[in-house]
């Protein structure tokens, strides 16, 4: 029974952002579903390198590396993204406001599981492709900062070429954006 209680507690910690957990421990008068969006903070562990190692060990123990080609992983990732999107399908924007007010614990658990599937396939794809995913994210964020300077694009959803025509000189190759 104690292992079930521990698993339930871990699941609750995954579903509830750190600040919300801290606030709940101080005062239980407000519910997560009160309409206020809780600020999301992530736990320190596992980091992406630890996750990469765990996923590699998981696949190796099952002799799945033979199936984990970059192409197969990308296709599996696409399927998982579809399952993630199903969590939001038909709910409308109001029901999917930041903090997901009104979502049940079961809905949140399911959403977290689908997000985990997407992240695990993405990390596994990066590993099997030889891509340092954290470094690629940092470089892409830097590039996006140059393409979308805050002083020019604040509050706008326009493509960067509409307010920064010189930015189109960035080398593209076959990149998506």
């Amino acid at each position: 029974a104690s292992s079930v209680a521990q698993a339930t507690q871990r699941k609750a910690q995954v579903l509830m952002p750190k600040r919300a957990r801290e606030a709940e421990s101080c005062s239980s008068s407000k519910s997560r579903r009160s309409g206020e969006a809780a600020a999301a903070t992530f736990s320190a562990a596992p980091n992406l390198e630890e996750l990469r190692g765990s996923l590699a060990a998981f696949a190796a123990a099952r002799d799945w590396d033979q199936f984990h080609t970059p192409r197969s992983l990308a296709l599996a990732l696409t399927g998982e993204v579809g399952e993630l999107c199903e969590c939001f399908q038909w709910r409308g924007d109001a029901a999917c406001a930041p903090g997901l007010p009104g979502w049940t614990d079961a809905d949140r658990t399911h959403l977290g599981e689908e997000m985990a599937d997407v992240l695990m396939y993405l990390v596994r794809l990066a590993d099997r492709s030889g891509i340092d995913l954290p470094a690629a994210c940092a470089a892409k964020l830097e590039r996006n900062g140059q393409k979308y300077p805050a002083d020019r694009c604040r509050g706008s959803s326009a493509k960067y070429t509409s307010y920064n025509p010189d930015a189109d000189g960035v080398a593209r190759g076959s990149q998506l954006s």
Side-chain angles (χ1 to χ4, degrees):
S2 66
S3 64
V4 172
Q6 289 173 341
T8 302
Q9 183 179 16
R10 279 193 303 274
K11 188 180 285 187
Q13 289 175 339
V14 167
L15 296 175
M16 190 181 301
K18 184 178 177 184
R19 271 192 211 151
R21 288 193 310 267
E22 291 167 354
E24 186 176 81
S25 68
C26 295
S27 168
S28 60
S29 63
K30 283 194 174 183
S31 165
R32 265 185 301 164
R33 294 185 217 110
S34 67
E36 289 183 22
T41 57
F42 298 147
S43 56
N47 62 39
L48 288 180
E49 176 55 25
E50 292 166 341
L51 184 58
R52 187 208 58 76
S54 295
L55 292 169
F58 186 90
R62 289 155 182 80
D63 193 25
W64 286 353
D65 281 344
Q66 61 183 319
F67 308 115
H68 286 187
T69 64
R71 178 187 174 275
S72 294
L73 291 166
L75 293 173
L77 173 62
T78 300
E80 292 300 336
V81 168
E83 291 180 21
L84 173 63
C85 291
E86 285 177 351
C87 296
F88 296 97
Q89 189 175 15
W90 313 121
R91 290 186 185 249
D93 287 342
C96 297
L100 304 176
W103 282 45
T104 67
D105 286 342
D107 288 341
R108 290 165 114 32
T109 296
H110 184 227
L111 179 62
E113 289 170 351
E114 296 304 337
M115 288 177 170
D117 286 341
V118 168
L119 178 61
M120 289 189 295
Y121 272 111
L122 182 61
V123 169
R124 188 73 176 133
L125 174 59
D127 183 27
R128 297 293 286 166
S129 300
I131 303 294
D132 180 348
L133 189 56
C137 287
K140 182 64 175 179
L141 186 58
E142 174 69 26
R143 182 174 172 200
N144 284 349
Q146 293 168 1
K147 285 170 51 175
Y148 299 96
D151 62 333
R152 289 194 215 155
C153 69
R154 187 177 322 284
S156 171
S157 63
K159 186 168 172 114
Y160 66 93
T161 54
S162 69
Y163 58 84
N164 193 1
D166 294 336
D168 210 18
V170 178
R172 295 219 183 292
S174 62
Q175 297 169 344
L176 295 175
S177 61

